[in-house]
Amino acid sequence: MIESASLPPVAQATALVGVVFLQAVALYVGYGLLERIASPLIERVTDAST
């Protein structure tokens, strides 16, 4: 693991903001893909049950 305790506080804060931003982008993309994949499946199931 990368040791960041020796870095200045500004660098630690910048790294934290960067990690949180990358996590948000990954979740946004992941949920977008999941929605594209799952929406047709959900519609097929709901149409078949009626």
Side-chain angles (χ1 to χ4, degrees):
M1 179 122 181
I2 299 173
E3 183 64 38
S4 64
S6 62
L7 295 175
V10 172
Q12 290 178 3
T14 303
L16 179 63
V17 169
V19 168
V20 170
F21 177 73
L22 289 176
Q23 187 178 22
V25 169
L27 287 171
Y28 180 78
V29 170
Y31 281 125
L33 290 174
L34 183 63
E35 183 180 8
R36 284 182 183 232
I37 293 169
S39 291
L41 296 174
I42 292 171
E43 288 176 9
R44 189 180 307 162
V45 168
T46 55
D47 290 343
S49 65
T50 57

